[in-house]
Amino acid sequence: MNQVPAGTFTTPEVNGLFNGWCGNCAAMTDANGDNIWDITISLPAGPTEFKFSADNWNIQENLLAGSPCTITNSGFTNRTLNVTGDTTLAPVCWESCSACSGS
């Protein structure tokens, strides 16, 4: 969230096909204060789509179509992941497929 202006969000969340794009039902935490927010979610095997948002969709990522971590369906560009087993995703910048430097 270091790419999001301070004071523009309270609680980041992850939304996707796995939770019906529910808004604030998958809130993320930053227990160690390193500005890397995380969550553990049980997902079924296979492809899924998701994106990061905050404060029950008050803000959301605007991802670039054609990026290596995205898929565009019905006019929406989301992150994509093919779940094949236990997976830990590397931290990424807001609205990016790339890692952030610094905190």
Side-chain angles (χ1 to χ4, degrees):
M1 299 298 292
N2 63 345
Q3 302 296 311
V4 180
T8 60
F9 72 95
T10 303
T11 306
E13 59 248 350
V14 61
N15 290 287
L17 294 172
F18 57 87
N19 62 13
W21 305 97
C22 66
N24 61 0
C25 65
M28 302 172 75
T29 61
D30 181 17
N32 64 1
D34 64 356
N35 210 26
I36 297 175
W37 296 75
D38 54 39
I39 188 170
T40 300
I41 299 173
S42 182
L43 298 173
T48 194
E49 296 179 31
F50 67 101
K51 71 171 33 175
F52 300 113
S53 61
D55 303 329
N56 199 16
W57 290 107
N58 187 47
I59 62 172
Q60 66 178 289
E61 294 185 294
N62 291 307
L63 298 160
L64 181 62
S67 296
C69 67
T70 67
I71 187 168
T72 301
N73 284 320
S74 303
F76 296 98
T77 300
N78 302 312
R79 293 178 183 273
T80 185
L81 174 67
N82 187 26
V83 179
T84 58
D86 289 346
T87 304
T88 299
L89 300 179
V92 294
C93 284
W94 179 261
E95 299 182 333
S96 172
C97 298
S98 302
C100 294
S101 59
S103 58

